[in-house]
Amino acid sequence: MAQNETIQLDHGAGGLASRRLLERVFAKHLANDVLAQMDDAAVLAAPGGRLVVSTDSFVVDPLFFPGGDIGCLAVHGTVNDVAMRGGRPLYLTAGFVLEEGLALADLERVVASMGRAAAQAGVKVIAGDTKVVGRGQADKLFINTAGIGVLADGLELGASRARAGDAVLVSGTLGDHGVTIMAARQGLGLDLSTRSDTAPLADLVADVLAACPGARLFRDPTRGGLATALKEIAEASGVAMELDEAAIPIAGAVAGACELLGLDPLYLANEGKLICVAPAEQAQAALAAMRGHRLGDRAAIIGRAVAEKPGRVWLNTAVGGRRLLEMLSGEPLPRIC
Amino acid sequence: MKHVDPYRDPALCRELAQAIAKLCRRPVRFMELCGTHTMAIARHGLASLLPPTLEFVSGPGCPVCVTSAGQIDQAVALAGLDGVSVATFGDMLRVPGGQGSLAQARSRGGDVRVVYSAMDAVDLAQAMPGRRVAFLGIGFETTAPTTAAAILRAQALGLDNFSVLCLHKLMPPALAALLDGPDLGLDGFLCPGHVSTVIGAAPYQIAAERGLACVICGFEPVDILAGALMLLRQLDEGRPRVEIQYARAVEAQGNPRARAVMNQVFAAVDAPWRGLGWIAASGLAARPEFASFDAAKVFGLDLSEPPEPPGCLCGQVLRGLARPPQCALFGRACTPESPVGPCMVSSEGACAAWRSYRRED
Ligand code: SF4
Ligand code: SF4
């Protein structure tokens, strides 16, 4: 592929150019037996059990950031949503909206990254679609993915299942993704040495479930961060949450960047972390399972669900104070000075 | 959050809180002039460590909050001009003026870009010779010198497509206006650490002369509690004065070099403050020799102040005379997603801080 080739409107017109793009980029990196059939729809053997289905669209600026890119994010985001319900992700579909003028090399880098991420997550991309829009009608590249997984019989996990007395765990440091994206955006000439944590979480969920079969729910705190996710869980379950700030893992570089930019790490997005609510007596087992997994080595028990004042999330601050956490409103923005 | 940070040491915080409780024998009210203090007090839950007789109220210390609606309208007008790119800090995007916000201007096709420093805006102008880049200069004495330095740099580079819409404000005239205004029922000020690195201790003398305790304070929990204790001690001794708690960053004479750069490029002008009205010599404008960098002059923008939205209590909130929930619009018509007043926009604004981190009720 020539170094400076770009996406043209032709590439989306369904003719020869579309076909060549499909072969040279998509088929090359996402190939598998189902996709190879090149039919209008994929035919899959019914996996048995219940299906878990999720979809999400990915628009991220910049496309490439320390620790990842929009491609692996589009895989991880969707397989993680399936995994949070306890599902084992099997298949993905991928739809692309490309802006005319996008460098073909950038597209290939993104698709290659999706291919690697899918292989790592153990899912096949079984259907896809590409549209090209004129310059200025989209921002470089948008991806929509849908995920399909299977759920073992008897497994019931969900946001409304937390009970007073349960322990609240997180699988690792918070805010890494959010602060990295913020830092990577145009203009911020700072090297914060933070990296996105984007990663597939289904294995981690499986390990925790094996050690802690009574786990009530998993949640990946993406947009809105830990605070927003816990607030939603508290409201859905009719319990309050009490968190210990000193126990919440935050990487040093992230804490430093948050100080600098006036951001609160509890509200920043994560793409490779999960929250688990588990019965108190199984909490240590869940913690050990997380810590035994590559993606959970900084896991921690950060608080508990309590009965009083349902729907609230309290933070016992590291300095001994106490305050309420609310949902994120608006976009987190860095402060002026 | 594992800060092995002496300024967040819980044992020290507890000790300070106990000393404060012992010394606080009557109701006292301190105003934090700086939005970063407002935020830090809320974020660390410091109110829950303090005796109920000690109250912190927030003052006009966040530059976003005090930017007037007319000034926002000027920025929105700039964003509507052909060939003009407005470069702004992110906080300013959602502040409503009389004609909407910059975010709305952007959604109508205006070229509005978020930058993280004035120098980034200069770089942008250099990178886009075909467009005119107007930077929204905002902030107190903390940021004004960097805007001045950006203008000097643009001049040195010979850029003729860079200008600044100067919304900068000066802290001492606002303090004077507060003191001359209606009685605020205050016992002292927690003075802003960042601003004071530039202006030093002298400007707060006018408050001390009127019997108000003043402590220039850092932003960590231990700083703020130590600052509160110092304020209480001054009251206890009956000797209000200006003290520096934040000695690791602030020198009594401030930073004369930063002030010199600021004064080389800018001169004080009368300026409108959201909720507080016009305050004499409280704003900055480019000196005549830098007029070609003054966006208001270059683009012929006039300043007309639209009326405050009905029901908005921002003016009272900014003076510490009303608490955010006392505003009829708070949390109803006015939310962080669709703010009516600027105090709800900036993360350092009193209403936004109250919304995100309201104390235990
Ligand atoms: S740090 Fe600067 S912008 Fe923030 S509140 Fe203090 S003076 Fe204002
Ligand atoms: S609630 Fe809104 S309108 Fe009322 S004082 Fe606060 S910012 Fe102003």
Side-chain angles (χ1 to χ4, degrees), chain A residues 181-183 185-189 231 244-250 252 255-256 258-259 261-267 298 309 312 314-315 317-331 333-337, chain B residues 1-3 7-10 13-14 36 42-46 48-49 63-64 89-94 106 113-117 120 124 138-140 142-143 194 220-222 336-337 347-348 355-361:
Chain A
I181 295 295
M182 194 81 81
R185 291 225 170 112
Q186 154 214 341
L188 185 57
K231 181 82 182 161
D244 301 316
E245 188 179 34
I248 300 174
I250 310 276
C258 284
E259 286 296 310
L261 299 172
L263 299 169
D264 187 337
L266 303 186
Y267 288 89
R298 290 198 59 189
K309 304 205 177 180
R312 299 202 172 187
W314 299 104
L315 184 72
T317 68
V319 298
R322 187 172 156 88
R323 67 164 160 99
L324 276 170
L325 295 179
E326 295 293 336
M327 290 203 189
L328 174 69
S329 44
E331 207 189 324
L333 293 169
R335 69 146 170 265
I336 288 181
C337 76
Chain B
M1 272 173 242
K2 301 236 164 55
H3 288 276
Y7 299 104
R8 294 194 179 179
D9 180 49
C13 285
R14 214 173 317 120
T36 305
R43 216 181 116 178
H44 298 290
L46 297 186
S48 69
L49 287 174
V64 176
F89 294 121
D91 298 43
M92 294 299 288
L93 281 179
R94 288 182 302 129
R106 185 166 70 179
R113 304 180 184 213
V114 173
V115 291
Y116 295 85
S117 79
D120 290 345
L124 206 57
I138 181 171
F140 295 111
T142 336
T143 52
H194 296 158
E220 292 296 327
V222 166
E337 302 82 65
S347 60
E348 297 181 347
R355 249 297 285 226
S356 327
Y357 298 126
R358 86 196 133 104
R359 18 182 113 184
E360 189 153 9
D361 46 7

Side-chain angles (χ1 to χ4, degrees), chain A residues 84 157 162 166-172 204-205 207-209 212-221 226 229-230 233 241 243 273-279 282-283 285-287 289-290 299-305:
Chain A
M84 292 309 116
L157 300 164
D166 287 351
V168 179
L169 296 89
V170 291
S171 64
L204 180 60
V205 171
D207 284 8
V208 174
L209 280 173
C212 167
R216 315 273 195 206
L217 64 96
F218 296 91
R219 182 53 90 79
D220 61 337
L226 177 77
L230 285 177
I233 294 167
M241 302 269 180
L243 308 180
K273 300 290 156 47
L274 57 79
I275 299 168
C276 171
V277 176
Q282 292 182 19
L287 181 66
M290 283 186 194
I301 296 177
I302 60 165
R304 62 216 71 87

Side-chain angles (χ1 to χ4, degrees), chain A:
Chain A
M1 182 181 322
Q3 201 57 139
N4 47 7
E5 261 187 286
T6 57
I7 290 293
Q8 309 291 316
L9 287 171
D10 273 5
H11 284 123
L16 206 57
S18 307
R19 178 58 184 261
R20 284 228 307 278
L21 183 69
L22 188 71
E23 288 169 359
R24 286 171 52 190
V25 178
F26 295 103
K28 178 167 156 199
H29 295 288
L30 305 177
N32 58 61
D33 52 328
V34 187
L35 202 59
Q37 296 160 6
M38 288 277 176
D39 274 309
D40 287 343
V43 176
L44 309 168
R50 293 166 297 166
L51 295 179
V52 187
V53 179
S54 177
T55 183
D56 206 344
S57 298
F58 298 84
V59 292
V60 52
D61 174 34
L63 296 182
F64 303 96
F65 44 83
D69 56 72
I70 189 173
C72 60
L73 198 64
V75 173
H76 296 151
T78 295
V79 297
N80 288 349
D81 285 345
V82 171
M84 292 309 116
R85 291 302 302 270
R88 185 160 60 85
L90 295 175
Y91 301 112
L92 273 185
T93 68
F96 296 80
V97 176
L98 311 177
E99 184 191 14
E100 178 188 16
L102 173 73
L104 219 49
D106 282 348
L107 177 63
E108 174 151 20
R109 231 177 116 191
V110 166
V111 177
S113 166
M114 284 184 85
R116 283 191 301 273
Q120 193 199 354
V123 296
K124 287 178 183 169
V125 177
I126 45 112
D129 172 56
T130 307
K131 292 283 182 295
V132 178
V133 297
R135 197 182 267 278
Q137 291 179 282
D139 187 13
K140 299 186 276 291
L141 167 57
F142 301 155
I143 305 177
N144 171 277
T145 47
I148 299 169
V150 279
L151 182 61
D153 280 333
L155 192 54
E156 300 294 345
L157 300 164
S160 62
R161 305 182 78 88
R163 294 292 167 263
D166 287 351
V168 179
L169 296 89
V170 291
S171 64
T173 56
L174 297 173
D176 302 71
H177 179 76
V179 103
T180 303
I181 295 295
M182 194 81 81
R185 291 225 170 112
Q186 154 214 341
L188 185 57
L190 291 169
D191 177 16
L192 298 172
S193 72
T194 58
R195 287 173 67 77
S196 168
D197 57 353
T198 182
L201 296 169
D203 276 356
L204 180 60
V205 171
D207 284 8
V208 174
L209 280 173
C212 167
R216 315 273 195 206
L217 64 96
F218 296 91
R219 182 53 90 79
D220 61 337
T222 53
R223 270 190 310 178
L226 177 77
T228 305
L230 285 177
K231 181 82 182 161
E232 283 168 9
I233 294 167
E235 284 178 357
S237 295
V239 296
M241 302 269 180
E242 192 174 277
L243 308 180
D244 301 316
E245 188 179 34
I248 300 174
I250 310 276
V254 171
C258 284
E259 286 296 310
L260 201 68
L261 299 172
L263 299 169
D264 187 337
L266 303 186
Y267 288 89
L268 290 177
N270 309 279
E271 293 291 346
K273 300 290 156 47
L274 57 79
I275 299 168
C276 171
V277 176
E281 63 281 6
Q282 292 182 19
Q284 287 302 332
L287 181 66
M290 283 186 194
R291 289 204 173 147
H293 191 283
R294 184 177 62 82
L295 294 174
D297 58 344
R298 290 198 59 189
I301 296 177
I302 60 165
R304 62 216 71 87
V306 295
E308 300 81 52
K309 304 205 177 180
R312 299 202 172 187
V313 181
W314 299 104
L315 184 72
N316 296 322
T317 68
V319 298
R322 187 172 156 88
R323 67 164 160 99
L324 276 170
L325 295 179
E326 295 293 336
M327 290 203 189
L328 174 69
S329 44
E331 207 189 324
L333 293 169
R335 69 146 170 265
I336 288 181
C337 76

